[in-house]
Amino acid sequence: LPLIKTILRGVSLIILLAALGLAVQSGGLGGVFNQDWVDSNVRGAGVKGNFIFLLGACLFIAVGLPRQIVSFLGGYAFGLLPGTCLALAATGLGCIISFTFARFMGREFIAARFPDRLKKADGFLKHNTFTMALLIRLLPLGSNLVTNLVAGVSSAGASGFFAGSVLGYIP
C-alpha cells in the first residue's frame, strides 16, 4: 500500500506539472505576466479574456509571484470593480492551488523531517485558522507562497484558511 501511494503521488505530480506547463504555453504565459501580455491576450477578448486572465493570474500566484502585480493588471484590464473581483478570485485560486499542493504532496515529507516546526505551525493555525489567516494576510510581511505551503502541510482547516486569506487579500 505505501508503494502504491508513492507511485500515485509521483504520477499526480507529473500530471500536475505537465498541465501547468501546457497551461503556461497555451495561455501565452511563456513571457512575463505584464501590461503587454494583458493587451495582447486579455483586453477586448470578452469572457475568453476574463478566463485567460483568471487562469494566468492564479498560476502566477500559485508559483509565488507577487499578488500586487495581478491586482494592478486586473484594474488595468477590467477597471476597478471587475478587476478587483477577478484579481481577488485569481489570488484565492492561487492560494488554493499552492495550499492543496503542499497538503497532498509535501505533508508527510515535512512531518518526517521537521516535526518541531510543523508542531509550531499547527499551534499557530489549527485552533483559530480563519482569524490567523486573516491576520497573516493583513500584515505586510512574509511570502504569500510560504504562508500557503506552511498552512498546507499543517493541520489547519482548509476552508477557514481560504476564507481568512481571501478576506485578508481585499485591502
Side-chain angles (χ1 to χ4, degrees):
L1 190 63
L3 179 62
I4 292 172
K5 191 174 182 182
T6 302
I7 291 171
L8 286 175
R9 282 190 181 188
V11 170
S12 297
L13 181 60
I14 290 168
I15 291 170
L16 178 69
L17 292 175
L20 181 63
L22 181 63
V24 167
Q25 190 175 36
S26 67
L29 293 175
V32 178
F33 192 78
N34 60 23
Q35 182 179 352
D36 292 334
W37 180 84
V38 167
D39 286 339
S40 62
N41 294 291
V42 175
R43 290 186 86 181
V47 174
K48 179 182 175 186
N50 293 6
F51 180 75
I52 289 170
F53 178 83
L54 188 63
L55 177 64
C58 80
L59 293 175
F60 188 84
I61 297 294
V63 298
L65 298 169
R67 63 183 190 257
Q68 291 82 357
I69 292 173
V70 169
S71 297
F72 289 131
L73 289 175
Y76 169 75
F78 305 107
L80 179 63
L81 188 57
T84 299
C85 292
L86 278 168
L88 185 60
T91 305
L93 289 171
C95 172
I96 290 169
I97 290 169
S98 53
F99 175 97
T100 304
F101 179 81
R103 174 91 11 130
F104 291 106
M105 297 298 195
R107 194 174 196 170
E108 289 178 15
F109 175 81
I110 297 298
R113 283 159 186 81
F114 305 103
D116 294 336
R117 289 186 181 182
L118 185 56
K119 192 174 186 179
K120 286 180 186 178
D122 280 343
F124 184 75
L125 289 169
K126 187 175 181 178
H127 299 293
N128 295 307
T129 305
F130 173 83
T131 305
M132 291 298 111
L134 177 61
L135 179 65
I136 291 167
R137 300 311 184 179
L138 291 174
L139 296 173
L141 305 171
S143 163
N144 186 47
L145 178 62
V146 170
T147 301
N148 296 340
L149 295 175
V150 167
V153 297
S154 76
S155 59
S159 60
F161 181 75
F162 299 145
S165 291
V166 170
L167 186 59
Y169 288 147
I170 292 172

